[in-house]
Amino acid sequence: MSKYLETIKIYNRKVYNLEYHQKRVDATIGEGKLELLSIVQPTQKELTRCRIVYDEEGSYTIEYIPYKKREVHSLKLLFCDDIEYGKKYENREKLNSLFAQKEQCDEILIIKNGLITDTSIANVAFFDGKNWLTPKTPLLEGTMRAKLLNEQKIYPADISYQEINKFQKIALMNAMVDFDIITQEKVEDVIC
């Protein structure tokens, strides 16, 4: 039986973006099998990662882990056409295998069928001077990405790895880092 993972941000006793996490859980295992509102206990004041591992039946384990952000200043392009991560699985073996190839870089940027998808830990967005664009076909449709799309702060687009140097900035986004701009310079300066 597959196990799935949900990572939820808690800070100052507040749970962030719970409705988006619930939508993803419902899409993964079906509505009504696991109600996050009833199990997440936001008692922590410090930045905390609420980690929920669950299965198709709605059985789950939950833990609260103090969060320390991983600093990302450089990305290595990695080409992998056979990766699938449409659901947030607990098993990240393929992603971890790709991440192990990062060499001196801080993180990887996964290219599938010539298009940019995600890093190993986050969705991405690129600033073209006017708009923030996010890959139309990410590996995983993250909760922060969904929120920012709904708010029309980012827009979906097919982004070829060959176009990467035309962008001015790149940002990573996930439940824990929100929208983190990793460069104020040219995007090519963060590609190693």
Side-chain angles (χ1 to χ4, degrees):
M1 179 180 298
S2 292
K3 292 201 174 209
Y4 307 99
L5 174 66
E6 207 58 38
T7 300
I8 302 170
K9 177 181 177 178
I10 298 175
Y11 182 62
N12 206 18
R13 296 190 177 118
K14 179 182 175 188
V15 179
Y16 286 78
N17 301 323
L18 194 62
E19 68 180 283
Y20 290 95
H21 291 284
Q22 187 65 59
K23 284 180 186 177
R24 183 163 60 192
V25 168
D26 292 346
T28 300
I29 63 171
E31 287 187 41
K33 290 187 175 182
L34 180 61
E35 296 299 325
L36 298 177
L37 184 60
S38 67
I39 66 169
V40 176
Q41 304 297 317
T43 60
Q44 303 76 11
K45 281 190 157 186
E46 67 276 358
L47 183 57
T48 302
R49 178 171 55 119
C50 173
R51 184 179 192 271
I52 303 169
V53 176
Y54 63 101
D55 62 24
E56 282 96 356
E57 304 301 317
S59 297
Y60 69 92
T61 60
I62 188 168
E63 61 184 323
Y64 299 91
I65 306 160
Y67 182 74
K68 182 169 178 7
K69 179 183 166 193
R70 181 196 310 171
E71 293 297 325
V72 176
H73 302 287
S74 60
L75 299 167
K76 178 178 180 182
L77 299 182
L78 278 181
F79 296 81
C80 184
D81 290 345
D82 66 347
I83 188 166
E84 296 294 332
Y85 196 68
K87 294 183 179 183
K88 191 168 181 177
Y89 294 100
E90 179 189 32
N91 181 343
R92 293 176 39 90
E93 188 175 312
K94 182 71 172 182
L95 288 172
N96 292 340
S97 171
L98 291 173
F99 181 73
Q101 299 174 50
K102 70 180 179 69
E103 297 173 342
Q104 76 278 8
C105 298
D106 299 322
E107 181 55 78
I108 60 172
L109 187 57
I110 302 166
I111 312 303
K112 181 175 179 178
N113 300 320
L115 298 175
I116 294 171
T117 60
D118 296 325
T119 72
S120 73
I121 58 167
N123 294 124
V124 294
F126 295 88
F127 187 65
D128 66 3
K130 183 178 178 187
N131 294 304
W132 282 98
L133 305 176
T134 189
K136 192 186 294 185
T137 53
L139 295 178
L140 179 70
E141 294 185 10
T143 57
M144 181 55 62
R145 179 182 179 274
K147 179 180 186 284
L148 295 172
L149 282 168
N150 284 345
E151 294 171 351
Q152 296 184 340
K153 292 182 178 174
I154 61 173
Y155 301 93
D158 285 329
I159 304 170
S160 164
Y161 76 94
Q162 296 159 324
E163 299 174 301
I164 201 166
N165 290 337
K166 79 175 189 178
F167 295 102
Q168 297 173 11
K169 301 177 188 176
I170 184 171
L172 304 184
M173 60 188 136
N174 67 26
M176 295 304 300
V177 301
D178 299 328
F179 191 81
D180 185 25
I181 300 171
I182 65 168
T183 180
Q184 296 294 337
E185 307 300 325
K186 295 179 180 179
V187 170
E188 64 191 39
D189 294 339
V190 301
I191 305 300
C192 54

